Amino acid sequence: MMHYFTFLIALAGIALTALTILRVRHRKEFVPQPVLGKFTSAAAYAIPMRKKGEVELKKDLIRGGYLHDCALINFLATRNVAFFIWIIFIVASFTLELVQPGKLLVGGAVGIAISIFAAPRIWIGMHSSSRARRICHDLPDALDLLAMMMSGGMTMQDSLNHVIGEFDDSHRALASELQITARHARTGSLDSALISFADRLDIPEVTALTAMLRGGHRAGGSLVDALRSFSDGLRYERDQKAKERGNTASVKLLLPVIFCLAPPIYILLLGPAFLNLKDFIEKENQPGGALSPTVQVSQVGSAAARSARADSFSQNR
């Protein structure tokens, strides 16, 4: 019973970390606050962290859509508190002898502690990469719609607002980033908004797009043809990557085929022969069979008698 209780405590710690990160996801007007008030910063940096790791974590949070100022300290504080709660619970359980410390239990407790500490960071990295891939996948459609609006006589700002309205339900990640870019353009300049857009996502496709838009905006020429050419290039590159993944799929499936499909085939091919051999051995080992001990002894005796007769015959001659 204690093992189940321990497992539930671990799940609660992981769920607390995930819910803290996701709780503002569907509340656009809510401004997140530090989860532990004035103790949030102390809890966040209770476990030392390298500056490079902190910068990478902040970049992943921003790329994942968590742009508020306290996103980093909320993440670190929630993870550290869940980790310390689990450690205190395990130490108290062993100290008060609520459970008997065995190798399996200690190993499970250490594994859960490592999971509580490392799993949220891994999830943030996977989520940010997945969101960046979705934005790159939806970007050609947005560029085609933007080019169509601009070719109809609308300004770039109005065209961008129209794209945001169209994509708000179907492509929320891209619409959210474009909305932030539009707000920056209204409050500042389009050039700085595009630079911020490229820095937030930090992916080659968006960086190339912003460089093209900034150059076209400074030159004052038409961006319609450039946007259409760029969207076609993104689609072509996406098709090439899909073909490359398809060509490498056969190589990646080689090991699963060897270790998962080959053994059943060997069993089907060699199983009947092995069973027949087993039945033959069992049958011939019975009394009167070719492999029974009595038959073997009689065969050895007859062979010895024949050998003795042959020897006596040779001596008589």
Side-chain angles (χ1 to χ4, degrees):
M1 185 66 182
M2 196 63 190
H3 299 284
Y4 294 108
F5 183 68
T6 302
F7 181 69
L8 290 177
I9 291 294
L11 290 181
I14 297 174
L16 178 64
T17 305
L19 288 175
T20 303
I21 297 172
L22 297 175
R23 67 175 187 170
V24 299
R25 192 171 176 84
H26 301 292
R27 301 178 61 182
K28 297 181 180 180
E29 301 301 327
F30 178 75
V31 179
Q33 300 295 329
V35 291
L36 301 178
K38 61 182 180 180
F39 301 104
T40 304
S41 181
Y45 297 103
I47 300 177
M49 188 176 184
R50 294 185 304 171
K51 188 65 177 179
K52 181 179 179 181
E54 182 180 350
V55 171
E56 292 178 354
L57 176 58
K58 187 174 182 179
K59 184 181 296 185
D60 286 341
L61 287 170
I62 293 175
R63 192 191 304 178
Y66 307 106
L67 305 176
H68 46 89
D69 296 333
C70 56
L72 178 62
I73 60 173
N74 281 349
F75 174 82
L76 294 176
T78 306
R79 184 196 65 180
N80 293 344
V81 167
F83 179 76
F84 285 132
I85 288 175
W86 174 251
I87 295 297
I88 292 171
F89 172 77
I90 290 299
V91 172
S93 300
F94 290 158
T95 304
L96 300 177
E97 297 183 354
L98 298 177
V99 294
Q100 295 298 327
K103 292 183 179 180
L104 182 61
L105 185 60
V106 173
V110 172
I112 293 174
I114 294 174
S115 299
I116 293 175
F117 187 80
R121 179 65 183 91
I122 296 173
W123 183 87
I124 285 294
M126 294 174 61
H127 172 70
S128 63
S129 299
S130 175
R131 187 172 183 267
R133 286 195 299 269
R134 291 199 306 270
I135 290 176
C136 289
H137 185 272
D138 300 335
L139 197 57
D141 297 334
L143 295 181
D144 288 339
L145 184 58
L146 184 64
M148 184 177 65
M149 294 296 104
M150 293 178 65
S151 64
M154 297 178 63
T155 62
M156 186 173 183
Q157 186 70 35
D158 294 337
S159 301
L160 190 60
N161 293 331
H162 183 78
V163 172
I164 294 171
E166 291 291 333
F167 280 31
D168 192 29
D169 294 330
S170 57
H171 309 290
R172 291 185 178 180
L174 180 58
S176 175
E177 292 294 335
L178 292 179
Q179 188 174 11
I180 295 172
T181 304
R183 289 179 180 178
H184 284 182
R186 285 197 300 268
T187 57
S189 62
L190 181 61
D191 192 69
S192 62
L194 292 174
I195 293 175
S196 178
F197 178 46
D199 291 339
R200 283 197 309 273
L201 294 178
D202 193 20
I203 50 181
E205 292 82 359
V206 175
T207 302
L209 173 64
T210 54
M212 183 198 69
L213 292 177
R214 289 173 58 198
H217 181 71
R218 289 176 181 177
S222 177
L223 295 174
V224 176
D225 295 335
L227 288 174
R228 289 174 177 170
S229 300
F230 193 85
S231 65
D232 292 338
L234 288 179
R235 286 194 177 91
Y236 177 77
E237 184 178 357
R238 187 174 62 190
D239 294 340
Q240 293 299 316
K241 289 181 179 179
K243 292 179 180 179
E244 180 180 357
R245 289 194 297 267
N247 293 331
T248 57
S250 59
V251 180
K252 295 179 180 178
L253 289 174
L254 183 60
L255 289 179
V257 167
I258 293 175
F259 291 104
C260 298
L261 187 59
I265 293 176
Y266 293 149
I267 292 173
L268 291 175
L269 294 177
L270 302 179
F274 177 77
L275 293 176
N276 291 334
L277 179 62
K278 179 176 176 295
D279 293 339
F280 172 77
I281 294 174
E282 291 178 353
K283 179 180 178 181
E284 297 300 330
N285 276 325
Q286 294 177 358
L291 300 178
S292 63
T294 57
V295 174
Q296 293 178 1
V297 170
S298 63
Q299 289 177 354
V300 170
S302 61
R306 287 194 301 268
S307 177
R309 288 196 300 268
D311 292 339
S312 62
F313 178 76
S314 60
Q315 290 176 0
N316 293 329
R317 291 186 62 184

